[in-house]
Structures are given as structure tokens and as C-alpha cells.
């Protein structure tokens, strides 16, 4: 239990005089109370910045790749971010546990901005990809450091609420980001999308860092000797990043020579995953291992499926890219709503059931999406299904974060948060690679050809290529419902 966590007033049996003693303000405040206001606004602004970058940059990326003559390298612009962030997550966990979260957070936000500037001024696709890699380093440092901040600065009763606020900070970027980025790209050029975002770094730094310095700086136990960095874990983190990159490359190449990097990637990943994730994660052992595994299953299956939704709507149903992207916009609101629902104190005893139900909703949404491949099924079916799926994801993702911090000692919050994010990021890479390979094998075509066909409004893919992505991912999400039933220790 956190040292900052108040006593449960419902268990006190004192005298009338004791009952009349006023509750200290910090114990009765919410996340926007005087004690937590600056910190809450600051760290939520950091998440807002990451969310806006994800939605805006994703819109400008195809145009950037085309102008830099880098369509064949398009996938690496995404995988470079994921692979470097996996390494940074482990480094951030060790850094935050030993020195406090202030250093990795400040460094991560700065690296994030530098990476955006590097990509925005790139003269070649490889320079652009290098910028994305620097962004990934920054993003990995930031996300783990934020979890440690929450563990140190907020009592347990407020953690579900701050996680709900994180989810809510994605609502506006999910709607405004693509439209703003599309307008800027059309009128000013794609470079201004990347160059303009670093300006937003100033506000989170100015507001969050002083508040973190006051409430969450330094090691969890200042009196304890500072342990040296675990070099073995850092080497394993490097292995997991390189291994994930090799598998991503192999999934894109689709030839016999790609077996070599695939085998190399597996050889690096297996020992790295076993060394960096809690023991028992692979077999869904009860408690923390199942929480970490569920995070990866939920995020990987959902993101892998969502990545193909706009392409399916454009190439198979003739929607414009803007309309296809907006079909998923309502999901930002329902995701936030799901996160809000899990934060209600009265529902805390039912958190496991909420997570199981959430994964069932995710599986149903993914399975329903390819129904629009049938001509007589209304296109809006995807929007409705995805709204329900995002509601389920909101409950599951926020709950995994809450449970992880609840099951972690203060001095282990960084390492365990890193494990959670590694599970998330690695699953994204692996399931996207698997889905992309299956999509290409059944007539989906190469990344560049498919994008060009979509931009021209033509059908560049066989309908079955989409079904072979969505249906297996729905099955993975159903496995997640079983894992969700094991997150509670008995």
C-alpha cells in the first residue's frame, strides 16, 4: 500500500470526538483538488500530447512517405517507433525506480520533441525513420515514468480516476487530430505537422515537472542504498527491440530469405521476454502475470484489427480516407466512457467481471467489422461495432494499469510498469506483423501498392485478405476474456 494512501475511514471505530476530527484536505480531495491539481493537469497534458501526435502524425505519414520516395519503407516508420520504445521502457523503469521518475520523464519529453523535429526536416526516408526511432525512445521513457509518478504521488483511491483522465485525454485528439493534420498537410505541407507539435511540449514541461519534483522525485526509499543498474535487463531490452525489428522486417518481405531474420528475431525475443516479464506470464498465472499478459492480448488484437479498418472501408466500400478515419472517431468517446465506468468506487469489487465483459465486447467488435465486406451490410455497422469495442477497451486497459500498481511494491513500480508496456508494445509489433503477412498472402498486396490503390479509390485487395486479419484477432481477444478471469489472486 502506498505511503500516501489514506486509511479506510469505513473501518475506524473511534469515539464521537475522533469522528468529529476533520479529514485532512489531501485525503478528501479528488485529482483536481488543490493538492493534486497542477500534477494532474501536467501529466494529463503529456498524455494529450502523445495522443495528438499519434493521431496527427498517422494522418500525415502516407504523404511524407510518398514525397520522400519511401513507400516501400512505410512500415518501418511505425516499427522504428515501437522497437526503440521497447528498449526505452526497460531503461525508464530502472531509472525511475533508482532515481525517481523526474529524470526519465524530462528526458523522454525532450527526446520526443527532437524526434519530431528530425522527421519534420528529413530529406530522405531513412532520416525520417531515424526521427521516428528517436520519438520511440522518448515515448518509452515517458509512459513508464508516468506510471511511477502515479504510484508515488496518488493514493490508491485516486488511481482509477487519473487513469480515466488519461483515457479522456484521447477523445479530442482522436476527433480533431486527423482533421487538423489533414488540413495542415493540404495547405502548408506535411512537415509542419511534425515541426508544429514540439511547441506543445513547453506547457507540460512547465506545469508537470515542478509538481513531480515536489511529490514524486527521488527513490521510493531515500534511506535505502541506491542499487546499480541491472545490466542484464538492459541487454535483454536491447535484444527484445532488435528481435521485434527483425520479425517486423521478415513479415514485410514475404520471401524465403526472410526466414533468416525471422529465426534471428525469435532467438533474441524468447530469452528476452522470459527475462523481462514476470514469471508465469506465458501460462497466465494468477495475479500480476495475468495482468501483464492481458494488457498485451487486449492491445495487440485491437490495434492489429483497427489498423486495417480504414483501408477496408476505402478499398472495399469506396469511402474517402477522411470518412473512413472518422468512422472510428466515436471510439475515443466510448473508450473514455469505459475508463470512467471502471473508476467508480462502487464497481471496484466487480473489476474482474468488468474486464471479462470488456474483452468479450472487443472480440465481438473485431468479429463484426468484416461484415461490411458484404455489400448489403450498412457501412455504419463498423462505427457502431467499434464504439462498443472501444468501450470494452476503456474498461480493460485502465483496469490493467490500476491492478498493476495495486500489485506492485513502490520500489517495483518502474520495473513492473515497464513489463506492462513491453507486453503492450511487443504484442502490437508481433500481431501487426502476423496480420500484415496474412493480409499480403491472401491478396492484400504490398504496402505501397495497397496505399496507392486506396488513394485512387480502387480496390487493391481481395475481401478475404481482410477477413483473415479480423477473425483471428477476434479469437485472440476471446483468449483475453479467459485471461481476464485470472487477474485476481485467490
Amino acid at each position: 500500500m502506498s505511503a500516501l494512501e489514506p486509511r479506510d475511514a469505513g473501518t475506524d471505530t473511534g469515539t464521537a470526538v475522533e469522528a468529529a476530527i476533520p479529514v485532512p484536505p489531501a485525503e478528501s480531495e479528488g485529482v483536481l483538488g488543490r493538492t493534486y491539481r497542477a500534477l494532474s493537469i501536467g501529466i494529463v497534458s503529456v498524455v494529450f500530447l502523445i495522443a495528438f501526435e499519434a493521431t496527427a502524425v498517422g494522418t500525415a505519414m502516407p504523404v511524407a512517405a510518398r514525397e520522400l520516395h519511401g513507400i516501400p519503407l512505410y512500415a518501418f516508420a511505425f516499427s522504428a517507433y515501437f522497437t526503440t520504445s521497447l528498449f526505452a521502457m526497460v531503461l525508464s523503469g530502472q531509472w525511475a525506480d533508482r532515481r525517481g521518475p523526474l529524470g526519465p520523464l524530462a528526458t523522454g519529453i525532450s527526446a520526443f520533441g527532437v524526434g519530431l523535429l528530425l522527421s519534420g526536416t528529413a530529406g530522405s526516408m531513412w532520416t525520417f525513420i531515424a526521427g521516428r526511432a528517436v520519438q520511440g525512445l522518448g515515448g518509452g521513457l515517458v509512459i513508464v515514468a508516468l506510471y511511477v509518478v502515479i504510484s508515488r504521488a496518488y493514493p490508491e483511491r485516486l488511481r482509477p480516476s487519473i487513469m480515466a483522465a488519461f483515457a479522456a485525454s484521447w477523445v479530442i485528439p482522436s476527433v480533431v487530430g486527423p482533421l487538423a493534420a489533414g488540413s495542415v498537410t493540404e495547405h502548408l505541407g506535411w512537415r509542419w505537422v511534425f515541426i508544429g507539435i514540439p511547441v506543445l511540449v513547453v506547457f507540460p514541461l512547465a506545469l508537470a515537472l515542478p509538481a513531480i519534483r515536489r511529490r514524486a522525485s527521488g527513490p521510493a526509499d531515500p534511506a535505502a542504498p541506491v542499487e546499480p543498474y541491472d545490466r542484464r535487463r538492459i541487454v535483454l531490452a536491447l535484444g527484445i527491440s532488435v528481435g521485434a525489428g527483425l520479425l517486423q522486417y521478415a513479415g514485410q518481405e514475404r520471401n524465403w530469405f526472410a526466414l533468416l531474420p525471422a529465426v534471428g528475431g525469435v532467438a533474441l525475443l524468447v530469452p528476452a521476454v522470459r527475462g523481462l516479464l514476470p514469471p508465469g506470464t506465458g501460462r497466465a498465472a494468477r495475479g500480476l502475470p495475468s495482468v501483464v499478459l492481458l494488457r498485451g492480448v487486449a492491445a495487440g488484437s485491437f490495434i492489429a484489427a483497427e489498423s486495417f479498418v480504414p483501408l477496408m472501408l476505402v478499398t472495399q466500400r469506396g469511402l474517402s480516407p477522411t470518412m473512413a478515419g472518422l468512422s472510428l472517431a466515436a471510439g475515443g468517446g466510448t473508450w473514455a466512457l469505459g475508463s470512467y465506468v471502471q473508476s467508480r468506487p462502487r464497481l471496484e469489487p466487480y473489476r474482474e467481471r468488468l474486464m471479462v465483459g470488456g474483452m468479450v465486447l472487443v472480440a465481438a467488435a473485431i468479429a463484426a467489422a468484416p461484415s461490411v465486406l458484404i455489400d448489403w451490410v450498412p457501412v455504419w455497422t463498423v462505427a457502431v461495432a467499434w464504439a462498443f469495442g472501444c468501450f470494452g477497451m476503456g474498461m480493460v486497459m485502465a483496469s490493467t494499469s490500476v491492478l498493476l500498481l495495486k500489485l506492485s511494491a513502490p520500489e517495483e513500480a518502474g520495473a513492473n510498469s515497464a513489463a506492462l508496456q513491453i507486453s503492450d508494445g511487443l504484442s502490437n509489433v508481433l500481431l501487426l506483423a502476423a496480420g500484415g503477412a496474412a493480409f499480403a498472402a491472401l491478396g492484400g498486396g504490398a504496402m505501397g501498392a495497397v496505399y496507392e490503390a486506396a488513394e485512387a479509390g480502387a480496390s487493391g485487395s481481395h475481401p478475404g485478405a481482410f477477413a483473415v486479419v479480423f477473425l483471428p484477432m477476434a479469437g485472440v481477444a476471446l483468449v483475453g476474456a479467459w485471461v481476464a478471469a485470472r487477474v485476481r489472486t485467490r
Side-chain angles (χ1 to χ4, degrees), residues 421-488:
Q421 297 303 323
I422 287 172
S423 179
D424 187 322
L426 183 60
S427 294
N428 285 340
V429 172
L430 296 182
L431 291 181
L432 273 169
F439 178 75
L442 269 77
M447 176 68 73
V450 170
Y451 173 71
E452 290 170 0
E455 194 178 44
S459 177
S461 310
H462 191 279
F466 291 100
V468 81
V469 172
F470 286 99
L471 297 182
M473 294 307 161
V476 173
L478 278 179
V479 172
W482 172 75
V483 176
R486 300 177 59 82
V487 296
R488 292 280 193 186

Side-chain angles (χ1 to χ4, degrees), residues 44-137:
V44 169
S45 297
V46 172
V47 177
F48 181 90
L49 169 67
I50 293 173
F52 191 81
E53 182 273 342
T55 55
V57 167
T59 301
M61 195 94 72
V63 180
R66 187 179 67 238
E67 290 191 6
L68 293 173
H69 308 289
I71 288 291
L73 300 174
Y74 182 79
F76 290 103
F78 290 95
S79 61
Y81 183 100
F82 284 123
T83 53
T84 56
S85 67
L86 290 171
F87 172 76
M89 288 169 188
V90 176
L91 178 61
S92 182
Q94 294 206 32
W95 189 351
D97 282 342
R98 286 158 177 77
R99 303 291 183 182
L102 188 63
L105 186 62
T107 304
I109 293 176
S110 301
F112 196 76
V114 170
L116 283 166
L117 290 174
L118 183 59
S119 291
T121 57
S124 68
M125 191 61 182
W126 281 115
T127 305
F128 181 88
I129 291 172
R132 291 289 293 165
V134 175
Q135 281 181 251
L137 287 171

Side-chain angles (χ1 to χ4, degrees), residues 165-192:
F166 279 8
S169 67
W170 279 79
V171 175
I172 294 177
S174 67
V175 177
V176 176
L179 295 176
S183 179
V184 170
T185 300
E186 181 178 347
H187 294 96
L188 299 177
W190 65 268
R191 295 183 184 276
W192 286 102

Side-chain angles (χ1 to χ4, degrees), residues 7-13:
R7 293 182 305 166
D8 183 358
T11 62
D12 289 343
T13 57

Side-chain angles (χ1 to χ4, degrees), residues 364-383:
I366 296 174
S371 66
V372 298
L373 295 170
I374 304 171
D375 291 338
W376 55 265
V377 174
V379 174
W380 51 258
T381 300
V382 170

Side-chain angles (χ1 to χ4, degrees), residues 31-422:
V31 294
L32 292 178
R34 184 178 61 181
T35 303
Y36 305 103
R37 185 180 300 127
L39 178 61
S40 297
I41 294 174
I43 62 176
V44 169
S45 297
V46 172
V47 177
F48 181 90
L49 169 67
I50 293 173
F52 191 81
E53 182 273 342
T55 55
V57 167
T59 301
M61 195 94 72
V63 180
R66 187 179 67 238
E67 290 191 6
L68 293 173
H69 308 289
I71 288 291
L73 300 174
Y74 182 79
F76 290 103
F78 290 95
S79 61
Y81 183 100
F82 284 123
T83 53
T84 56
S85 67
L86 290 171
F87 172 76
M89 288 169 188
V90 176
L91 178 61
S92 182
Q94 294 206 32
W95 189 351
D97 282 342
R98 286 158 177 77
R99 303 291 183 182
L102 188 63
L105 186 62
T107 304
I109 293 176
S110 301
F112 196 76
V114 170
L116 283 166
L117 290 174
L118 183 59
S119 291
T121 57
S124 68
M125 191 61 182
W126 281 115
T127 305
F128 181 88
I129 291 172
R132 291 289 293 165
V134 175
Q135 281 181 251
L137 287 171
L141 290 172
V142 167
I143 193 63
V144 173
L146 286 177
Y147 276 74
V148 179
V149 170
I150 294 170
S151 174
R152 301 271 185 90
Y154 292 89
E156 188 174 319
R157 65 181 178 84
L158 291 181
R159 292 172 190 167
S161 296
I162 196 65
M163 291 300 176
F166 279 8
S169 67
W170 279 79
V171 175
I172 294 177
S174 67
V175 177
V176 176
L179 295 176
S183 179
V184 170
T185 300
E186 181 178 347
H187 294 96
L188 299 177
W190 65 268
R191 295 183 184 276
W192 286 102
V193 175
F194 290 84
I195 295 173
I197 291 177
V199 176
L200 302 177
V201 170
V202 177
F203 176 74
L205 280 175
L207 193 59
L209 297 187
I212 294 171
R213 185 178 291 109
R214 290 193 301 269
R215 299 191 60 84
S217 61
D221 184 1
V226 178
E227 296 183 6
Y229 285 86
D230 188 339
R231 295 183 179 180
R232 175 179 173 275
R233 289 183 65 86
I234 293 177
V235 170
L236 290 176
L238 184 61
I240 206 171
S241 295
V242 175
L246 289 173
L247 282 179
Q248 181 75 12
Y249 173 80
Q252 291 295 317
E253 286 301 301
R254 306 185 319 277
N255 56 50
W256 288 108
F257 292 104
L259 288 175
L260 292 177
V263 170
V266 171
L268 288 171
L269 277 177
V270 171
V273 169
R274 295 185 64 181
L276 293 173
L277 300 187
T281 299
R283 55 184 173 84
R286 288 194 177 277
L288 185 63
S290 285
V291 173
V292 172
L293 178 61
L294 176 60
R295 180 59 165 258
V297 170
S301 60
F302 189 81
I303 296 301
E306 186 178 57
S307 300
F308 287 87
V309 170
L311 186 62
M312 178 176 65
L313 293 177
V314 170
T315 60
Q316 303 302 312
R317 297 302 297 264
L319 269 66
S320 68
T322 300
M323 291 303 298
L326 287 177
S327 68
L328 305 179
T334 57
W335 190 306
L337 179 60
S339 187
Y340 171 80
V341 167
Q342 66 78 37
S343 72
R344 297 300 85 199
R346 70 180 64 180
L347 295 178
E348 176 61 32
Y350 309 103
R351 185 174 296 280
E352 180 182 306
R353 296 181 185 178
L354 289 176
M355 297 170 77
V356 172
M359 288 309 303
V360 171
L361 285 176
V362 171
I366 296 174
S371 66
V372 298
L373 295 170
I374 304 171
D375 291 338
W376 55 265
V377 174
V379 174
W380 51 258
T381 300
V382 170
V384 173
W386 225 247
F388 279 99
C390 286
F391 179 79
M393 285 292 289
M395 291 193 294
V396 172
M397 297 293 277
S399 290
T400 56
S401 301
V402 171
L403 286 175
L404 177 112
L405 295 178
K406 185 175 182 178
L407 296 171
S408 301
E411 65 275 9
E412 298 174 344
N416 288 343
S417 297
L420 189 76
Q421 297 303 323
I422 287 172

